[in-house]
Amino acid sequence: MNEQILMGLNGDEAAAYSTKQVNPDVVAAYPITPQTIIVERFSEYVADGEVDTEFVAVESEHSALSSCIGAAAAGARAFTATAANGLALMWEMTYIASSLRLPIVMAIANRALSGPINIHNDHSDSMGARDSGWIQIYCENSQEVYDACIEAWRIGEHPLVQLPVMVCLDGFTLSHTMENVLTLSDEVVRDFVGERKFIVVEGHKGETELRLNPEVPLTMGPLDLQDYYFEHKMQQIEAMQQALKAIPEVDAEYAKVSGRSYGFLYPYKMEDAEVALTGLGSTMGTVRYVVDQLRSEGVKAGMIKMRLFRPFPAEELVETVGEVPVLGVLDKAASFGAPGGPLYEEVKSVFYDEDKKPFIADFIHGLGGRDTSPRMIRGVFESLMEIRGKEEVPQKVSYVGVRG
Amino acid sequence: MSEQKPGWKELPRGAVSTKSSTEYETGDWGVEQPEIEHSKCTKCMLCHFYCPEGAIKVREDGYTEVDLRYCKGCGICAEECPVKCITLVRKK
């Protein structure tokens, strides 16, 4: 394992620093709170000559991702970052990036989608992009952001995968909060990410890498009619399935290099739990604190922090929940008109076919950066205990911390 | 008897088109094709510039001619010709 330096970095700085160490070919980005520090810090590295990156100051987020797509199509490693309405503005391009199989890495400083305008944290932005074909990793702290922004390149560029990756960090809560981060050396990071690997295709001038090269011309992103589009989508579906195999490979290699072993899910005190809570992002840190409190009071509480949302780790989730009778789902986004929040819907549908399934209840919280305190989490566990006692779910979807 | 089209496992990933675009002879899309009357032509080359497909080439002698392999019969050349020496003729 390599020597590491402890640095005080907020989530944005961790994303910028790790990206500096990766030294991508192109960064094209547009500022939006709370991602601004990522791009500002990175542009300082560019100005100081600490990276070889071509920094493109674009006029909008749509242009940012479009530039990254062009760069990645030409064979470059391209990085960008955005949040909320910035992600919404580049929405159409997210589908282009994934369907063209371009392993772009994008940091999302999760922020509520407007309107009303709210610059604070919730997951509505990245949840809104969950169908776009991007891999989604959610981070609990700055250390995870640092590590994910390095692993993301190897995950996206894995020969079985070749898909773009979103690294999600809670806006302000993580992006602007300084934490201890153990950082690797530039050399170790560069060795780990190595050179970008490409898909190999049969071009009309012979076998070639899937990238724009005047010597071996290809057309990327041509027209598909009714007779081919569906088949191309199947390839993307397959790539996501393959990511479930590829990600543990990358995680294992990263563990050797950093000493930090990542996975899809983190069970905590689940072995004999009566009630458990699952969710994404920084709130799970608060949940862990509450679980410890409850345990000291004799309550058999447990939790599962989810790191990977796309592809959805269904098998592992079912295995990790095991025999736990009640599972609460924390959703930091609402899906208007849907039976529940996005995470709840996925969790519930995963368990539908299982013989043993827990009672599942949805707890939508934190919208627009509404603070979810330990006391509120205790309240959620109390609801779960009630479900445990009654053996039924009186309210499938609850809203935590809202007035009225 | 139509050929069985390839399944998704056989297609190249990334929806990449591995044929050169010159092999897609879109000329068969058109219903009409332009005929240029060189006796009236002033060699202004506007038809060459306006053609959206680049299917009208300028010859050595300065007159233009249509590459029927790629002409889709849109009629912009006929519309833009200042001396109206281009007529669209229904294909046989």
Side-chain angles (χ1 to χ4, degrees):
Chain A
M1 216 208 33
N2 298 283
E3 201 196 294
Q4 299 183 59
I5 298 173
L6 189 68
M7 294 177 75
L9 298 171
N10 61 35
D12 274 1
E13 289 168 342
Y17 187 71
S18 53
T19 305
K20 172 191 96 92
Q21 295 186 299
V22 168
N23 197 11
D25 300 293
V26 171
V27 167
Y30 190 84
I32 181 169
T33 306
Q35 145 273 36
T36 45
I37 297 172
I38 301 177
V39 189
E40 284 170 11
R41 184 55 58 88
F42 196 85
S43 67
E44 283 172 32
Y45 297 138
V46 173
D48 292 342
E50 290 184 57
V51 287
D52 302 310
T53 315
E54 177 83 32
F55 186 87
V56 189
V58 287
E59 67 276 16
S60 79
E61 287 87 349
H62 183 279
S63 299
L65 191 54
S66 301
S67 305
C68 287
I69 286 167
R77 268 201 173 127
F79 175 84
T80 190
T82 192
N85 289 55
L87 179 57
L89 188 58
M90 53 164 79
W91 189 68
E92 64 145 344
M93 301 314 287
T94 58
Y95 285 76
I96 305 288
S98 59
S99 58
L100 257 45
R101 311 297 293 276
L102 300 173
I104 295 167
V105 173
M106 173 157 70
I108 305 285
N110 290 113
R111 159 182 154 172
L113 284 167
S114 307
I117 306 177
N118 178 294
I119 60 171
H120 296 282
N121 166 244
D122 75 24
H123 294 158
S124 52
D125 53 5
S126 52
M127 282 299 162
R130 67 194 187 276
D131 293 339
S132 61
W134 285 59
I135 290 173
Q136 287 192 351
I137 296 172
Y138 285 79
C139 303
E140 188 196 327
N141 51 45
S142 294
Q143 181 71 64
E144 292 195 5
V145 174
Y146 173 81
D147 292 327
C149 285
I150 295 170
E151 286 196 82
W153 301 98
R154 291 289 306 280
I155 292 171
E157 294 167 10
H158 193 287
L160 293 175
V161 181
Q162 297 284 341
L163 288 173
V165 182
M166 265 181 218
V167 175
C168 302
L169 57 147
D170 287 334
F172 284 113
T173 315
L174 290 189
S175 69
H176 284 60
T177 308
M178 184 183 286
E179 294 188 283
N180 289 329
V181 180
L182 281 166
T183 60
L184 299 161
S185 70
D186 289 359
E187 204 176 61
V188 168
V189 172
R190 268 198 316 272
D191 276 340
F192 178 79
V193 294
E195 291 293 312
R196 183 181 156 186
K197 291 191 187 66
F198 295 87
I199 292 173
V200 174
V201 289
E202 188 67 38
H204 61 274
K205 290 208 170 175
E207 215 178 61
T208 186
E209 289 180 335
L210 182 58
R211 60 184 174 89
L212 300 172
N213 175 5
E215 319 233 315
V216 193
L218 294 170
T219 306
M220 292 178 78
L223 181 70
D224 247 5
L225 291 174
Q226 304 94 318
D227 54 351
Y228 279 96
Y229 182 86
F230 205 157
E231 281 72 21
H232 288 128
K233 294 299 119 182
M234 288 307 300
Q235 292 180 340
Q236 283 179 253
I237 290 169
E238 187 201 36
M240 273 290 187
Q241 318 270 45
Q242 298 286 58
L244 289 170
K245 291 197 202 105
I247 294 170
E249 272 176 39
V250 178
D251 285 340
E253 218 187 293
Y254 194 72
K256 288 203 195 101
V257 153
S258 67
R260 288 180 291 281
S261 194
Y262 285 105
F264 300 157
L265 307 169
Y266 296 83
Y268 183 70
K269 306 209 160 143
M270 285 293 286
E271 304 78 23
D272 61 341
E274 298 269 295
V275 288
L277 206 47
T278 189
L280 300 154
S282 61
T283 310
M284 299 318 286
T286 312
V287 175
R288 196 180 295 112
Y289 169 76
V290 174
V291 165
D292 283 340
Q293 254 182 8
L294 290 171
R295 279 282 178 174
S296 70
E297 293 162 24
V299 177
K300 293 206 166 109
M303 64 163 254
I304 303 173
K305 177 182 86 174
M306 285 192 71
R307 169 173 168 252
L308 189 71
F309 182 71
R310 278 287 180 273
F312 194 81
E315 217 175 278
E316 209 170 300
L317 179 66
V318 171
E319 214 181 284
T320 307
V321 168
E323 310 257 318
V324 174
V326 183
L327 182 68
V329 180
L330 284 173
D331 260 306
K332 223 182 209 176
S335 180
F336 308 105
L343 184 59
Y344 166 77
E345 293 191 310
E346 308 226 344
V347 170
K348 210 164 177 193
S349 78
V350 156
F351 278 99
Y352 179 78
D353 293 318
E354 299 297 318
D355 295 321
K356 277 204 174 57
K357 40 181 173 255
F359 290 108
I360 301 176
D362 193 16
F363 297 89
I364 295 180
H365 72 104
L367 302 187
R370 177 67 49 93
D371 190 38
T372 306
S373 62
R375 181 139 40 103
M376 289 161 156
I377 303 283
R378 281 189 77 101
V380 171
F381 272 107
E382 273 155 32
S383 303
L384 297 178
M385 291 305 287
E386 213 184 289
I387 293 169
R388 176 80 182 103
K390 291 189 175 144
E391 299 220 317
E392 62 164 11
V393 184
Q395 200 176 340
K396 294 192 182 67
V397 185
S398 310
Y399 302 89
V400 182
V402 70
R403 296 182 302 274
Chain B
M1 188 65 179
S2 67
E3 245 172 55
Q4 175 70 355
K5 290 180 178 164
W8 64 268
K9 293 185 192 173
E10 303 162 86
L11 290 168
R13 285 188 291 168
V16 67
S17 173
T18 54
K19 246 162 80 158
S20 165
S21 56
T22 53
E23 290 177 56
Y24 287 108
E25 293 192 353
T26 50
D28 57 3
W29 292 19
V31 166
E32 295 175 314
Q33 67 199 33
E35 274 178 11
I36 306 176
E37 224 183 297
H38 289 147
S39 59
K40 291 197 191 142
C41 173
T42 62
K43 301 187 192 178
C44 73
M45 298 195 293
L46 281 178
C47 55
H48 162 77
F49 291 123
Y50 271 107
C51 175
E53 300 304 317
I56 299 185
K57 314 269 194 271
V58 182
R59 291 191 327 209
E60 282 271 309
D61 60 2
Y63 288 106
T64 52
E65 70 185 5
V66 182
D67 188 343
L68 292 173
R69 293 176 300 167
Y70 304 106
C71 170
K72 291 174 183 167
C74 72
I76 288 174
C77 53
E79 178 71 27
E80 297 298 331
C81 175
V83 297
K84 296 288 172 246
C85 74
I86 304 180
T87 41
L88 287 171
V89 170
R90 190 114 187 152
K91 278 178 172 175
K92 286 154 201 82

